[in-house]
Amino acid sequence: MDLQAVVDDIVRDLQPRLGEGKVADYIPELARVDPKQFGLAITTVDGTTYTAGDADTSFSIQSISKVFMLTLALGKAGESVWKRVGREPSGSSFNSIVQLEHEHGIPRNPFINAGAIVITDMVLAGHKPREAIGEFLRFMRFIADDDSVTIDEKVARSEQETGFRNFALANFMRGFGNLQHPVEHTLGVYFHQCALAMSCVQLSHAGLYLANRGTNPLTGFSVVSPKRARRINALMLTCGHYDGSGDFAYHVGLPGKSGVGGGILAIAPGKASIAVWSPGLNKVGNSALGSVALEMLATRTGWSVFGT
Ligand code: DON
């Protein structure tokens, strides 16, 4: 299969649709991004990267960071993570509070905002917020094999100033005893992890351990066990696109995680790590053209985990 031709064709086919969707505007700094950008990068498990469009332009990874924080939390707390957060799809929007009261402050899964905030609280244990942010940044540079990855402080500040719903979720969970640090500390780390800026190329490298049984083929370093990589992929498939997860599985059929910056990381287990970025979002807050591009890719490569 000529993967370079596949990515080139997708970018060419989507050219007339650039700008579709609505850029996230509840974080003012994200509202300033040019919606006509589009990037795609595939890195296969043999370490080859195929790119097209704006694949080297940095964007705010936002909720895609939740996959990597979950990886850190599992490394730190192991299976006890699941005492404080569930593993079921929520069927609700990413920032919903509705299930939290019924379920006693235990979020449905680690990818909705409430769940991700609890996961960040776990990684924060034993650290000052600045240290936890540093640990996350070091981890991202390690798995991307790239020391140029940075946090966009302007985006972090912008969200800090307008993250009213996240403050509500965090305070609510603290009321239930499911947050162990001051809300400002946990959210300070959470806003910084979401503000990580990466390109599609860097993100496709960072996701490789999930495609390659837990080991990054670029460095040869083991990040997680094969079993843990498989389980993180399962959570991405069932919960990675919030109330759009079923639709994403139906159309794309790959474990994936979206972010309101317009990025999506998708994993073809045993084959490749794929990053796509287009800032315009669909109604459930996932990249509109990014989802279309991944459907094209899954169809043209036959990589859906559900068969060709
Ligand atoms: O907490 C928030 O609202 C953002 N920092 C992240 C949300 C997000 O990316 C949802 N994904 N589609």
Side-chain angles (χ1 to χ4, degrees):
M1 181 167 37
D2 184 349
L3 282 176
Q4 188 56 50
V6 171
V7 294
D8 286 339
D9 288 352
I10 291 171
V11 169
R12 191 199 54 226
D13 293 351
L14 287 177
Q15 202 67 30
R17 298 178 62 178
L18 293 188
E20 268 184 30
K22 193 172 169 294
V23 172
D25 54 8
Y26 74 101
I27 301 173
E29 202 56 33
L30 294 185
R32 295 151 42 97
V33 175
D34 172 8
K36 292 214 156 156
Q37 301 179 87
F38 183 94
L40 179 59
I42 300 179
T43 303
T44 49
V45 292
D46 68 2
T48 314
T49 302
Y50 305 87
T51 67
D54 304 311
D56 284 310
T57 307
S58 290
F59 60 91
S60 192
I61 71 164
Q62 291 296 317
S63 286
I64 303 169
S65 66
K66 295 169 180 175
V67 173
F68 305 118
M69 259 319 186
L70 174 64
T71 303
L72 280 178
L74 285 167
K76 193 165 176 170
E79 292 297 301
S80 72
V81 161
W82 306 117
K83 291 189 189 134
R84 293 174 59 190
V85 61
R87 295 191 297 262
E88 295 297 340
S90 70
S92 306
S93 61
F94 66 89
N95 53 11
S96 173
I97 201 166
V98 289
Q99 286 161 346
L100 265 186
E101 181 160 26
H102 282 300
E103 297 175 4
H104 312 288
I106 308 288
R108 274 284 171 99
N109 67 64
F111 295 148
I112 50 172
N113 282 11
I117 291 166
V118 170
I119 292 293
T120 298
D121 195 64
M122 292 177 195
V123 173
L124 180 54
H127 293 299
K128 295 193 168 67
R130 270 283 145 207
E131 292 164 356
I133 294 166
E135 182 187 348
F136 177 71
L137 183 58
R138 271 194 306 280
F139 178 65
M140 294 309 297
R141 289 175 171 173
F142 167 65
I143 60 172
D145 192 27
D146 191 334
D147 281 345
S148 70
V149 173
T150 50
I151 290 172
D152 185 333
E153 289 289 340
K154 265 166 117 180
V155 172
R157 211 171 316 118
S158 184
E159 189 169 0
Q160 184 95 36
E161 285 162 9
T162 55
F164 308 113
R165 278 177 180 246
N166 284 326
F167 279 100
L169 289 168
N171 275 301
F172 202 56
M173 292 190 291
R174 183 116 159 111
F176 276 106
N178 198 15
L179 220 63
Q180 293 174 349
H181 301 90
V183 160
E184 310 74 53
H185 289 193
T186 305
L187 286 182
V189 179
Y190 174 77
F191 294 142
H192 280 81
Q193 75 185 61
C194 290
L196 196 79
M198 290 179 95
S199 68
C200 288
V201 171
Q202 290 170 326
L203 189 56
S204 76
H205 290 170
L208 269 177
Y209 70 100
L210 295 170
N212 192 49
R213 295 170 51 81
T215 296
N216 184 337
L218 297 176
T219 59
F221 286 121
S222 168
V223 181
V224 293
S225 67
K227 180 174 167 185
R228 188 160 284 167
R230 191 170 72 234
R231 288 177 157 179
I232 295 171
N233 284 335
L235 290 163
M236 289 170 74
L237 184 85
T238 50
C239 311
H241 283 72
Y242 316 109
D243 41 343
S245 297
D247 208 47
F248 189 80
Y250 182 84
H251 286 287
V252 179
L254 294 172
K257 183 72 212 80
S258 62
V260 289
I264 303 177
L265 172 68
I267 303 300
K271 298 187 173 73
S273 165
I274 305 144
V276 62
W277 170 58
S278 173
L281 307 180
N282 62 21
K283 283 200 200 72
V284 288
N286 302 318
S287 174
L289 286 190
S291 308
V292 175
L294 287 170
E295 181 173 5
M296 289 173 165
L297 184 89
T299 307
R300 295 174 192 189
T301 55
W303 282 352
S304 163
V305 296
F306 300 110
T308 48

